[in-house]
């Protein structure tokens, strides 16, 4: 993988921002075991405008909320930021059972004594990490309350039964939140006010072309552009509510190309990864028609890959 600061330079990111990252890295370089926590994403996020906003916000000590439709690269951006700033990352998932004890930690009994086992939010704060608060809008309010003091200017965490955790200055929280074109799911106001928000766009066409080319270097250019235009057509139809948003899923498209790479026919792969995710027969047919219009269903490995 290319050096990420060199990548950012080639992407045309402002020199001042890249210099800012360099200076940030010097503040408290990560050593030992924690180095393994510095993310090493498979691809770096593509999108210059978003990169510049995110870097500026982190340099200004802000916490970031990445909000947007699914598969707009929110997690890839969060990981890319961890890689660029060389900070250890903790993933915090807001699954249904996530409560305060999971987030900040809890007392555990090891057979001899009771000790406090830190949760990901606490570990992140103590080590100046980047905490990736994934799909934060799924969080229960009572779980979120414990984060308030960490996320605002107080920058400290009062952990019951432990002690007052002072956040290391490098600590940042990067939250992600999925919302659709149709309905948004609101984030409670107390929480939203503690972040700066990046409204995540779907990947630009030229960037998608580069993304597919880097993931599938042997995919023929002509097919690459067919897959790309299929994605934007499905996205357009989802935006205008002709089909549901399930159809507009970059992850599904990339998965389909993966399956073709393994030898499946295009029609089967695209059905498995896109149209068959919709269970309404009428809508499924609509999506199928869009696919068939753009990509011959009978193509196999040698037609697609050089
Ligand atoms: N702007 C982008 N740059 C790089 N990869 C992207 C971008 N947008 C989407 N992707 C790709 O789409 C897939 C889903 O990305 P992910 O970060 O998990 O999305 P999200 O968290 O927004 O649902 C990944 O394979 C990722 O590489
Ligand atoms: Mg995600």
């Amino acid at each position: 993988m290319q050096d990420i600061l060199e990548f950012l330079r080639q992407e045309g990111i402002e020199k001042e921002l890249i210099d800012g990252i360099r200076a940030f890295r010097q503040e408290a370089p990560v050593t030992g075991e924690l180095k393994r926590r510095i993310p090493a994403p498979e691809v770096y996020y593509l999108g210059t405008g978003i990169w510049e906003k995110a870097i500026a916000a982190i340099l200004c000590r802000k916490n970031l909320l990445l909000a947007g439709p699914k598969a707009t690269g929110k997690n890839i951006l969060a990981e890319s930021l961890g890689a660029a700033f060389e900070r250890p990352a903790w993933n915090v998932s807001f699954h249904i059972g996530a409560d305060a004890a999971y987030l900040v930690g809890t007392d555990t009994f090891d057979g001899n004594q009771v000790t406090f086992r830190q949760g990901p939010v606490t570990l992140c704060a103590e080590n100046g990490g980047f905490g990736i608060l994934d799909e934060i809008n799924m969080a229960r309010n009572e779980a979120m309350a414990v984060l308030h003091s960490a996320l605002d200017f107080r920058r400290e965490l009062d952990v019951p039964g432990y002690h007052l955790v002072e956040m290391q200055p490098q600590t940042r929280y990067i939250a992600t939140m999925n919302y659709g074109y149709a309905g948004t799911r609101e984030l409670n106001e107390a929480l939203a006010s503690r972040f700066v928000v990046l409204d995540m766009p779907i990947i630009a066409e030229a960037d998608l072309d580069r993304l597919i080319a880097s993931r599938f270097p042997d995919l023929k250019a002509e097919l690459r552009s067919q897959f790309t235009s299929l994605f934007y057509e499905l996205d357009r139809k989802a935006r205008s509510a002709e089909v549901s948003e399930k159809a507009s899923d970059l992850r599904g498209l990339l998965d389909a190309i993966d399956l073709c790479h393994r030898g499946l026919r295009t029609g089967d792969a695209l059905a498995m990864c896109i149209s068959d995710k919709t269970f309404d027969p009428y809508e499924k047919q609509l999506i199928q028609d869009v696919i068939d219009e753009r990509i011959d269903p009978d193509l196999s490995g040698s037609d697609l890959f050089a």
Side-chain angles (χ1 to χ4, degrees), residues 167-234:
M167 289 171 54
Q168 291 306 303
Q170 289 75 31
T171 311
R172 301 289 185 278
Y173 292 99
I174 303 173
T176 77
M177 170 174 165
N178 277 324
Y179 68 82
Y181 295 135
T184 30
R185 205 165 152 163
E186 284 299 320
L187 188 64
N188 93 36
E189 203 178 308
L191 197 59
S193 72
R194 287 167 164 84
F195 290 99
V196 297
V197 179
L198 278 183
D199 191 2
M200 299 290 285
I202 61 162
I203 191 168
E205 192 159 349
D207 289 335
L208 179 54
D209 191 68
R210 286 196 295 156
L211 179 69
I212 298 178
S214 76
R215 258 185 80 159
F216 306 99
D218 51 350
L219 179 67
K220 293 177 183 167
E222 183 200 337
L223 269 302
R224 198 165 73 224
S225 79
Q226 286 178 23
F227 281 115
T228 305
S229 71
L230 170 63
F231 171 70
Y232 289 106
E233 180 60 15
L234 289 170

Side-chain angles (χ1 to χ4, degrees), residues 30-39 88:
V30 177
T31 54
E33 273 294 286
L34 282 179
K35 273 190 164 167
R36 290 179 29 213
R37 284 201 163 264
I38 299 175

Side-chain angles (χ1 to χ4, degrees), residues 291-302:
I291 295 174
D292 290 345
E293 226 170 80
R294 276 170 182 73
I295 296 172
D296 178 347
D298 280 319
L299 301 178
S300 60
S302 57

Side-chain angles (χ1 to χ4, degrees), residues 69-89:
K70 66 177 182 305
T72 44
K74 296 183 289 296
N75 286 83
I76 262 308
L77 175 61
E79 284 183 29
S80 299
L81 287 166
F85 285 86
E86 289 187 335
R87 297 314 299 172

